[in-house]
Amino acid sequence: MSSYKPKNILITGAAGFIASHVANRLVHSYPEYKIVVLDKLDYCSNLKNLRPSQSAPNFKFVKGDIGSADLVNYVLITESVDTIMHFAAQTHVDNSFGNSFEFTKNNIYGTHVLLEACKVTGQIRRFIHVSTDEVYGETDEDAVVGNHEASQLLPTNPYSATKAGAEMLVMAYGRSYGLPVITTRGNNVYGPNQYPEKLIPKFILLAMIGKPLPIHGDGSNVRSYLYCEDVAEAFEVVLHKGEVGHVYNIGTKKERRVIDVARDVCKLFSIDPESVIKFVENRPFNDQRYFLDDQKLKNIGWSERTTWEEGLKKTMEWYTSNPDWWGDVAGALVPHPRMLMIPGIERHYDGAETNNSGAAPYSNSQTRMVLHVPKSGNSPRKPPFKFLIYGRTGWIGGLLGKLCEKQGIPYEYGRGRLEDRASLLADILNVRPTHVFNAAGVTGRPNVDWCESHKTETIRTNVAGTLTLADICKQHGLLMITYATGCIFEYDAEHPMASGIGFKEEDKPNFIGSFYSKTKAMVEELLKEFDNICTLRVRMPISSDLNNPRNFITKISRYNKVVNIPNSMTILDELLPISIEMAKRNLKGIWNFTNPGVVSHNEILDMYKNYIDPDFKWINFTLEEQAKVIVAPRSNNEMDASKLKTEFPELLPIKESLIKYVFEPNKKTDYSA
């Protein structure tokens, strides 16, 4: 049998569990191979998993999403990739019941993007697609022969269905375009570095802190478990000896019931299993057994090396030595975790390892989670989302409620005031939301000049209130989306006007002209200490409602005089629905929440004249003249929206968005652009 020798390997999802072990193994065993890792650093990824490789000369990390065709093509070409090992996927079955569209996006669309890039570049000599034993569906309890590679695919949950769908695409590209594909289907894997939403690390961490071990149903479900290093070796064998067009099962004949796994963990910790094992409601569908025939892989040189007892002991020792590896994992340790509820860690990469984990993972405050468990029987299943919105009387808060109604998302407005902790806690307990949206805040009446003479009230709401809500959300494992402002920057020497160089998310605020902006910059900095926050920097918001006095267009069309300065702005009709999608995707961190590019006052008023009122006229004045009629200076800047554009490629530039969402719907003339 001939052996394949790659040169430049792209491993997707290699900051995750299995792929990190494969990447580390290849980096150190084959210094002549270049290993390029592409990972978007989702909640279950961690750069620390790649520590053994980060200083190696044949290793390179690229942060990015396989769903970005431009990025994938760029990496394949610039790194001269000839081999792809495709691990990147959403894999947790519980999450797929509550957020199935995210699985379709990652597992099917992401795979399709990779395959198309391979076809276009024409340079790939091996494409190894990593699938799962779950695509076969449930194995009969009395079966003595496992599913072989030609067995029918009968997936039973959204996760396995997306993996089966991805396999069909891989097979089609192999047959239609001659892409040299190989597919693997593996049993459950366990070992160091695994995110604790999975059974074995969850049981170990719960045992470490003296908490009950939750078992779905009666615990009779049977699974086969392989130690991670054995699996990494299996991929090494498939890489070098696997035949193009073939499928390989990576499995073991050694099966265990879930309840026996729990008992084995208890034995390692010298705990009475009867005192800590807790039976909880089962999944909507929970396959009784997966059983694989792994003879084909054995025929090309692989065999399992690690016994169950040895592997479990190694795993327990690793977690007890690295209890804070994943930071806050309270949301993963509940019986039925949902990715949308997990506080998690927002992963950043700037060339060095960064871990914004914050506090220790096992404090009492972090384990008080709000559970959303599907009910059995004939009662209707709870919807996957329920939003709690603050800012009912505000412009953005009101629009959010209308959007939720339009999309059929259950929601309630918060009754508590942000500065009243007890009332906020009552809202959380009564509503039991999956997400909290903070659109409340003091911007001034009628403008930010009001804040200059009402500083205490401004601090109370914008700083203290926002932090209180963030803290309560963190304690209950809830993601908080907060509508902040981009009015914390002003053009400077490094970001000159009309240069196209915008302020990025990581830039330090430089505008202190107004007290309102000071409070917003202050609270944004403090919110960085929370790992459950999605901060959206809104600027000069505009909507299609030209009668709304808060609308930037309405404001400047009623002014006697206006300045004429290019600025980044937010078209709410386009961006507010995106903020809801960001919540569904569990996105966190700071985001410049503006349309790409800038537009000036005169450009907007020209559009207003062309589309709305041909007789409209206005007069410009300078910043110096403006300063004489306002109390506090105003922020003028350009925000770099490339991060948002990468996540949402359909996002329109500011001028195109203005025409599509604002001026065309309100058109009163015969004008055509």
Side-chain angles (χ1 to χ4, degrees):
M1 180 184 299
S2 61
S3 181
Y4 172 68
K5 294 292 184 183
K7 293 182 179 179
N8 302 308
I9 306 174
L10 174 67
I11 305 181
T12 67
F17 170 47
I18 300 174
S20 64
H21 287 279
V22 174
N24 292 331
R25 185 184 188 91
L26 294 177
V27 165
H28 292 282
S29 298
Y30 302 92
E32 69 274 22
Y33 299 172
K34 181 178 181 181
I35 308 299
V36 180
V37 165
L38 177 62
D39 198 300
K40 69 177 182 178
L41 299 181
D42 207 345
Y43 76 101
C44 55
S45 301
N46 195 332
L47 276 174
K48 290 193 286 189
N49 293 344
L50 294 166
R51 272 181 179 170
S53 300
Q54 286 178 343
S55 61
N58 61 329
F59 173 84
K60 181 174 183 178
F61 178 84
V62 178
K63 182 182 178 184
D65 192 334
I66 58 170
S68 171
D70 290 341
L71 175 62
V72 171
N73 279 282
Y74 176 80
V75 171
L76 294 187
I77 293 169
T78 57
E79 302 298 336
S80 301
V81 172
D82 60 10
T83 302
I84 294 178
M85 303 181 78
H86 176 35
F87 289 85
Q90 294 285 350
T91 64
H92 192 51
V93 177
D94 269 337
N95 288 340
S96 75
F97 288 118
N99 193 19
S100 57
F101 288 112
E102 191 72 10
F103 280 67
T104 301
K105 176 191 169 188
N106 282 277
N107 299 354
I108 297 180
Y109 177 73
T111 301
H112 199 169
V113 169
L114 279 174
L115 292 167
E116 188 64 18
C118 293
K119 184 192 80 172
V120 170
T121 58
Q123 65 194 45
I124 302 302
R125 298 164 55 217
R126 285 290 188 281
F127 184 101
I128 298 175
H129 176 69
V130 181
S131 190
T132 171
D133 59 356
E134 295 196 35
V135 298
Y136 293 121
E138 195 170 49
T139 306
D140 290 340
E141 291 186 56
D142 58 353
V144 294
V145 178
N147 286 302
H148 55 80
E149 287 81 357
S151 297
Q152 186 178 6
L153 305 189
L154 296 168
T156 59
N157 58 64
Y159 158 62
S160 57
T162 62
K163 294 299 287 184
E167 280 199 36
M168 296 301 101
L169 282 170
V170 171
M171 181 176 66
Y173 271 71
R175 292 181 176 177
S176 297
Y177 304 111
L179 195 66
V181 298
I182 298 173
T183 296
T184 67
R185 298 173 185 149
N187 278 149
N188 287 28
V189 184
Y190 71 100
N193 303 355
Q194 190 171 28
Y195 189 74
E197 65 186 357
K198 301 291 187 176
L199 183 80
I200 292 174
K202 175 186 287 189
F203 281 176
I204 290 173
L205 289 179
L206 287 170
M208 285 168 57
I209 58 176
K211 298 291 185 181
L213 310 189
I215 292 181
H216 295 172
D218 61 5
S220 65
N221 303 77
V222 175
R223 297 292 185 265
S224 302
Y225 297 96
L226 281 168
Y227 188 64
C228 55
E229 289 302 331
D230 291 349
V231 174
E233 184 181 358
F235 281 104
E236 181 183 4
V237 171
V238 170
L239 171 65
H240 294 112
K241 298 182 179 180
E243 292 189 48
V244 169
H246 284 238
V247 178
Y248 293 91
N249 287 337
I250 303 175
T252 176
K253 298 291 194 301
K254 301 166 187 174
E255 298 178 289
R256 271 170 181 75
R257 296 183 305 165
V258 171
I259 193 168
D260 293 328
V261 173
R263 287 169 176 161
D264 288 344
V265 170
C266 289
K267 183 178 180 181
L268 283 175
F269 285 92
S270 300
I271 298 172
D272 176 15
E274 303 305 319
S275 66
V276 296
I277 289 177
K278 178 183 178 183
F279 297 98
V280 299
E281 194 167 7
N282 212 343
R283 291 172 177 168
F285 189 87
N286 196 354
D287 292 313
Q288 186 63 28
R289 183 190 186 203
Y290 303 120
F291 189 41
L292 294 182
D293 179 349
D294 60 347
Q295 188 59 46
K296 185 175 179 180
L297 183 58
K298 289 180 177 177
N299 291 341
I300 62 172
W302 176 82
S303 62
E304 180 183 6
R305 298 179 185 272
T306 308
T307 66
W308 166 252
E309 292 76 16
E310 179 188 0
L312 190 62
K313 186 172 185 293
K314 285 182 179 179
T315 305
M316 181 270 286
E317 291 172 347
W318 185 88
Y319 279 95
T320 54
S321 299
N322 299 276
D324 59 348
W325 191 265
W326 288 101
D328 179 4
V329 294
L333 300 181
V334 299
H336 295 272
R338 291 287 187 266
M339 180 175 62
L340 289 169
M341 294 173 59
I342 293 172
I345 302 169
E346 186 188 8
R347 316 286 177 196
H348 297 278
Y349 186 75
D350 57 2
E353 177 185 299
T354 305
N355 184 349
N356 299 330
S357 58
Y362 305 119
S363 67
N364 291 334
S365 65
Q366 291 169 327
T367 57
R368 293 200 296 270
M369 305 298 298
V370 179
L371 305 186
H372 296 268
V373 182
K375 292 184 178 180
S376 58
N378 297 321
S379 59
R381 187 175 298 171
K382 288 184 179 180
F385 308 109
K386 186 175 184 181
F387 295 165
L388 174 59
I389 302 172
Y390 289 90
R392 178 174 191 167
T393 60
W395 184 20
I396 290 178
L399 291 174
L400 279 174
K402 293 178 181 178
L403 282 172
C404 289
E405 291 175 3
K406 185 177 180 180
Q407 296 186 22
I409 300 173
Y411 74 99
E412 289 186 37
Y413 284 107
R415 298 182 179 183
R417 299 188 65 81
L418 293 191
E419 58 269 27
D420 184 355
R421 187 180 187 91
S423 66
L424 298 182
L425 182 59
D427 284 342
I428 297 292
L429 297 177
N430 290 332
V431 177
R432 296 189 174 272
T434 60
H435 301 77
V436 175
F437 287 77
N438 178 26
V442 171
T443 57
R445 309 162 192 159
N447 55 48
V448 296
D449 288 344
W450 180 90
C451 299
E452 301 299 313
S453 57
H454 296 78
K455 294 183 177 180
T456 303
E457 296 93 323
T458 305
I459 293 172
R460 187 180 299 130
T461 300
N462 290 358
V463 181
T466 301
L467 293 174
T468 300
L469 182 59
D471 186 51
I472 291 175
C473 288
K474 179 176 175 61
Q475 289 183 344
H476 289 79
L478 295 170
L479 175 65
M480 183 178 97
I481 298 87
T482 188
Y483 296 91
T485 181
C487 295
I488 54 177
F489 298 100
E490 62 180 349
Y491 289 120
D492 59 15
E494 294 179 356
H495 307 82
M497 187 186 306
S499 66
I501 303 173
F503 289 91
K504 297 185 177 181
E505 282 81 358
E506 61 269 22
D507 287 333
K508 185 177 181 179
N510 67 346
F511 178 70
I512 56 173
S514 72
F515 190 76
Y516 163 76
S517 293
K518 287 181 182 178
T519 63
K520 301 299 277 189
M522 180 187 304
V523 76
E524 179 178 290
E525 181 65 25
L526 293 171
L527 285 174
K528 291 179 182 178
E529 302 303 319
F530 293 82
D531 54 16
N532 62 315
I533 306 298
C534 179
T535 297
L536 306 180
R537 290 173 174 166
V538 177
R539 280 216 78 228
M540 297 181 171
I542 295 172
S543 81
S544 56
D545 181 6
L546 296 182
N547 292 316
N548 192 312
R550 303 173 190 178
N551 193 329
F552 179 76
I553 296 178
T554 308
K555 288 181 179 179
I556 64 172
S557 67
R558 295 176 180 178
Y559 289 162
N560 294 325
K561 295 181 180 180
V562 297
V563 294
N564 182 36
I565 300 174
N567 272 284
S568 289
M569 301 187 189
T570 301
I571 307 302
L572 296 177
D573 300 72
E574 182 175 19
L575 282 161
L576 281 188
I578 285 178
S579 70
I580 290 177
E581 179 61 26
M582 293 175 80
K584 294 178 180 179
R585 298 184 187 183
N586 202 35
L587 298 178
K588 301 170 188 173
I590 297 173
W591 299 75
N592 288 339
F593 203 57
T594 62
N595 292 83
V598 294
V599 64
S600 70
H601 297 64
N602 281 4
E603 288 175 314
I604 291 177
L605 293 177
D606 273 329
M607 294 180 190
Y608 186 87
K609 180 174 182 177
N610 290 331
Y611 284 88
I612 309 297
D613 182 5
D615 298 322
F616 181 78
K617 297 178 181 179
W618 70 94
I619 299 173
N620 288 129
F621 65 164
T622 65
L623 285 175
E624 292 74 19
E625 292 172 317
Q626 182 195 45
K628 296 177 181 179
V629 297
I630 59 177
V631 176
R634 303 297 195 257
S635 162
N636 294 289
N637 65 61
E638 179 175 354
M639 311 289 287
D640 185 334
S642 57
K643 177 181 176 181
L644 190 66
K645 177 71 172 177
T646 300
E647 185 71 23
F648 297 92
E650 69 276 13
L651 180 63
L652 292 177
I654 182 62
K655 294 175 186 177
E656 293 180 28
S657 188
L658 272 167
I659 292 171
K660 178 178 179 179
Y661 291 100
V662 180
F663 288 111
E664 280 290 349
N666 287 289
K667 187 176 179 181
K668 296 180 180 179
T669 69
D670 296 325
Y671 178 79
S672 60

